[in-house]
Amino acid sequence: MAEEILRTEGLCKRFGSLEVLRGVSISVFRQEIVSVIGPSGSGKSTFLRCLNWLERPTSGQIMLAGQDIASLSGAQLRAARRGMGVVFQGYNLLMQKTVAENVAFPLRLEKGYDRAAVQARVAELLAIVGLEDRAGAYPAQLSGGQKQRVAIARALATQPEMLLCDEPTSALDPLTTKSMLALLTDINKKLGVTIIIITHELSVVQAICSHVAVISEGRLAESGAVADVFGSPRSAVTKLLLGREE
Ligand code: ADP
Ligand code: MG
C-alpha cells in the first residue's frame, strides 16, 4: 500500500462572506502525479495556497505525512514548507534578476550553502530543466516555456518531496505544453517528487496524471483514478468538462 504524503479533511476557506472552499477532502500518495481540475473560479488556486499554508484554512485540516500542519511549531512549519515547492500561475519570477539568481533565491535562507555550493546547486537545477545555457539571461529574454522552467528549477532548489503547480501549461502553446509535461514526468520519475497539478485542461490530466480530484464551486465533485473518473464520470461537472453533457 502506497504511503499517504498529504491529506486534506473537510478543508474550508472563506473570504468574508464568500465561501470559496466548502469542505474538500483528498488524499495524495507518495510519488504520484495527481491533478485537481475544475472550472475557472471553482477554488483551485485557493486550495493550492492553503496546502502551502500561504492561506490559512477557515476550518478543516491539512495532514502532511500524518501530521496536522496547524500543530507544527514555527521551525517545523518552515521545514514542511521547504518540502513543498510551488510553481505559481504566471511564474512569479524576479524580473531584475538573472535566471541563475532567481533559481538561487530560495537557497539564500538555507544552511550549508556558501557561494560555491549555491553555484553548484544552481547548475544542477538548470541542467534538470534544460536551461544550462541561459543562466545569465533575464526573464524578459525568455519564452513562456523557459520562464516556466526557471520557476520549476527554483521550486526544486530546496529538494522538496512535493511539487505544487498552478496551471503550469495554461499559458503555453501545444508543443511547449508537451515538453513541459515531459519535464514534469521526468522530475517525478527521476527525483521521486510527488506532483500536484492544478489545471482546467483535461488533456494535461490524461497525459500525465494517475489520479484526479474534480472540484466544483468549492466542493469535491468526485475523485479517483483518471481512467475511472474520465471513463465513467459520475458528477455533472466532470461530464461538462468532458463535453459529455447528458
Ligand atoms: P480558480 O483557481 O479555480 O479559478 P480561485 O481559487 O482563484 O479559483 O478563486 C475562487 C474564488 O475565490 C473566486 O471567486 C475568487 O475571486 C475568490 N478569491 C480568491 N482569492 C481571494 C482573496 N484573497 N480574497 C477574496 N476573494 C478571493
Ligand atoms: Mg486559479
Side-chain angles (χ1 to χ4, degrees):
M1 175 81 184
E3 187 194 343
E4 190 178 68
I5 189 167
L6 174 109
R7 182 168 84 239
T8 67
E9 278 177 12
L11 204 67
C12 294
K13 177 67 187 179
R14 59 161 74 230
F15 296 106
S17 61
L18 183 66
E19 275 187 277
V20 176
L21 299 176
R22 309 165 193 235
V24 179
S25 304
I26 67 160
S27 285
V28 176
F29 294 88
R30 209 171 273 281
Q31 296 193 11
E32 280 181 345
I33 304 182
V34 307
S35 75
V36 176
I37 191 167
S40 170
S42 54
K44 303 183 299 294
S45 293
T46 303
F47 183 69
L48 179 136
R49 293 171 63 79
C50 284
L51 294 184
N52 190 244
W53 218 242
L54 287 166
E55 213 64 90
R56 296 295 154 94
T58 309
S59 62
Q61 268 145 23
I62 298 165
M63 313 292 288
L64 283 177
Q67 249 199 326
D68 188 340
I69 290 197
S71 72
L72 301 180
S73 69
Q76 288 171 322
L77 180 61
R78 281 192 295 281
R81 294 185 68 189
R82 270 201 301 277
M84 277 189 274
V86 185
V87 179
F88 293 99
Q89 193 167 2
Y91 323 121
N92 277 18
L93 299 180
L94 302 164
M95 300 305 282
Q96 313 302 327
K97 305 252 182 221
T98 64
V99 165
E101 288 164 344
N102 268 280
V103 174
F105 198 75
L107 298 173
R108 295 186 326 156
L109 304 168
E110 292 293 291
K111 290 197 186 82
Y113 277 97
D114 59 13
R115 222 180 132 82
V118 168
Q119 264 184 8
R121 179 71 182 140
V122 167
E124 202 173 274
L125 289 158
L126 290 180
I128 291 171
V129 300
L131 284 180
E132 302 95 318
D133 54 342
R134 304 313 308 269
Y138 287 87
Q141 300 170 300
L142 304 178
S143 69
Q146 289 174 327
K147 284 183 216 168
Q148 185 69 279
R149 284 167 187 267
V150 176
I152 291 171
R154 182 181 58 182
L156 292 175
T158 57
Q159 295 185 294
E161 51 184 6
M162 228 184 308
L163 190 62
L164 314 179
C165 305
D166 196 355
E167 304 273 6
T169 58
S170 61
L172 306 178
D173 63 61
L175 210 63
T176 314
T177 292
K178 222 174 151 189
S179 73
M180 193 58 56
L181 296 178
L183 172 63
L184 290 172
T185 305
D186 222 41
I187 287 167
N188 171 255
K189 294 270 180 304
K190 291 193 183 144
L191 306 179
V193 175
T194 307
I195 300 183
I196 302 180
I197 296 179
I198 305 279
T199 185
H200 65 273
E201 296 172 295
L202 285 169
S203 56
V204 168
V205 182
Q206 278 161 327
I208 68 167
C209 299
S210 57
H211 290 79
V212 59
V214 186
I215 288 191
S216 171
E217 295 175 354
R219 287 194 180 85
L220 184 71
E222 61 183 306
S223 65
V226 172
D228 296 339
V229 172
F230 286 2
S232 40
R234 287 180 288 120
S235 75
V237 66
T238 311
K239 290 175 186 167
L240 199 69
L241 288 166
L242 286 164
R244 273 199 239 153
E245 227 173 328
E246 270 124 51

